[in-house]
Amino acid sequence: MTDVEFRDLSKSFGHHKILENISLDIKSGEFVVLVGPSGCGKSTLLRMLAGLETITSGDLRIGGVRANDLPPQQRNIAMVFQSYALFPHLKAADNIGFGPRIRGEAREAVDQKVKKASGVLNLFSYLDRYPRQLSGGQRQRVAMGRAIVREPSVFLFDEPLSNLDAQLRVQMRVEIKALHQRLKSTIVYVTHDQIEAMTMADRIVVMNVGKIQQVGAPLELYDRPANKFVASFLGSPSMSFVSGALKTAPEGKSWFESAGGGRLALVGKTMAGSDTVEAGIRPEHFVIGEAADAMTIRVDVVEPTGSETHVYGAIGTDTVRAVFRDRVPVKPGDVLPVSVDPAHIHLFDKATGLPV
């Protein structure tokens, strides 16, 4: 297990900046997920760590050793790709043992490593099969086995579940998390899927346009986002944003007044009034209420899922999505009065996206 340190790391292609002043410490044995939209630079950062991309400026340290100019084979890192990258003419066992075998390790030692990795990944039944005879999940496990036998100091995963169907993605998330708990290894994992990030990470690094937006434990980022981007990116369904203004009474009480009508109390919060704010509300935090000054959702679509009811609609001109644990008897065209617990209201400056 090894620490990884990024210090003011930047990457440019000509005049086009991909990453700018990235500083991050990854502790030994930690599972860190880099998450963000396509093109935010997360895969480039992973490739720089692997030695597959050069570093324009800054420092990379692996286990305390400056690694900017180390070739990939000297970094003791194993990478699992989205595409599996298996040799089609080799059986699963030979794919798993390929690395140590070409390094000249004894056949008995390689077989022991393959056996151990296969046990960890439950692959014994598939070792005599070619990649074409395996499912997507089985091929991904073979690719993970090939990484394990290298006994690396750091595992890198580059969107390894993107090619799998929804049910298999859930299964593989559990398997990768269980693998980390067994091996106690340092893992850096890249994805654009925030559900993967929330369910797998010890810490999440949220990136956008080549910069780190926030770093922290999953629930810390979910409950206390540093800006509107983080708030909108983490969560499924995503946070809704309602335009409005902050109002303050002479006695010091404050509330949020929606541009579409209705208000939300801000108990315990006293602040100067503002006409350029947005209230960020998680779908699960909407509560059906009959208060005279409640906000109202004009219902457009209703999705009953059995355990929940998802309601799509609008508050004024803002599109919102509410999730209720009950089976709510509403239909398109209805007007649904809602309120929100003040503790669950996130206020952002409309111009900067920063918390108010």
Side-chain angles (χ1 to χ4, degrees), residues 24 28 33 48 55 88 91 104 116 130 143-144 158 209 214 226 229 236 245 299 309 318 326 344 346 349:
L24 175 68
S28 179
V33 175
M48 291 165 71
I55 295 171
K91 293 181 179 180
K116 182 179 179 181
Y130 291 98
M144 289 163 58
D158 190 7
V209 292
Q214 189 174 2
F229 175 80
S236 182
V299 179
T309 302
D318 297 303
D326 301 319
H344 294 144
H346 302 266
D349 183 277

Side-chain angles (χ1 to χ4, degrees), residues 124-344:
F124 284 126
S125 301
Y126 310 108
L127 292 180
D128 286 331
R129 298 186 187 183
Y130 291 98
R132 65 178 178 274
Q133 299 172 310
L134 301 173
S135 68
Q138 290 161 355
R139 275 179 275 176
Q140 191 57 277
R141 278 188 278 165
V142 171
M144 289 163 58
R146 186 174 55 191
I148 290 172
V149 298
R150 292 188 57 189
E151 299 177 340
S153 56
V154 182
F155 285 89
L156 308 182
F157 289 83
D158 190 7
E159 305 205 37
L161 309 186
S162 296
N163 292 334
L164 306 182
D165 60 50
Q167 185 173 356
L168 195 51
R169 285 169 75 101
V170 174
Q171 177 186 336
M172 288 302 298
R173 285 205 311 259
V174 174
E175 291 190 11
I176 293 174
K177 187 66 177 177
L179 173 67
H180 175 250
Q181 292 169 351
R182 285 195 294 267
L183 299 181
K184 308 297 183 185
S185 49
T186 305
I187 293 180
V188 185
Y189 186 106
V190 161
T191 182
H192 64 273
D193 185 328
Q194 41 82 34
I195 291 294
E196 287 181 26
M198 289 292 296
T199 55
M200 299 172 73
D202 295 326
R203 284 193 303 153
I204 295 174
V205 180
V206 182
M207 299 180 64
N208 192 31
V209 292
K211 296 181 179 180
I212 292 177
Q213 302 294 309
Q214 189 174 2
V215 181
L219 292 181
E220 176 188 343
L221 270 59
Y222 188 84
D223 293 335
R224 294 181 294 281
N227 53 44
K228 182 183 174 181
F229 175 80
V230 176
S232 63
F233 194 84
L234 291 182
S236 182
S238 60
M239 182 181 283
S240 297
F241 297 92
V242 180
S243 301
L246 291 181
K247 303 293 183 179
T248 303
E251 62 271 24
K253 292 183 179 179
S254 300
W255 66 90
F256 172 83
E257 192 166 293
S258 165
R263 60 175 59 181
L264 297 173
L266 301 175
V267 177
K269 298 181 180 180
T270 58
M271 56 192 73
S274 172
D275 293 326
T276 58
V277 299
E278 291 179 292
I281 305 166
R282 297 282 182 200
E284 67 271 21
H285 291 153
F286 282 104
V287 177
I288 298 174
E290 298 293 342
D293 58 355
M295 294 195 303
T296 56
I297 297 177
R298 185 182 68 253
V299 179
D300 295 325
V301 175
V302 180
E303 290 182 342
T305 67
S307 61
E308 299 174 334
T309 302
H310 293 222
V311 175
Y312 296 81
I315 295 176
T317 59
D318 297 303
T319 300
V320 299
R321 181 173 182 174
V323 175
F324 304 104
R325 293 292 298 176
D326 301 319
R327 299 185 180 184
V328 182
V330 294
K331 60 184 183 300
D334 286 352
V335 175
L336 186 65
V338 293
S339 61
V340 182
D341 185 328
H344 294 144

Side-chain angles (χ1 to χ4, degrees), residues 35-57:
V35 66
S38 297
C40 72
K42 57 189 184 297
S43 289
T44 300
L45 185 60
L46 195 76
R47 290 174 62 82
M48 291 165 71
L49 175 54
L52 303 178
E53 290 284 357
T54 59
I55 295 171
T56 303
S57 64

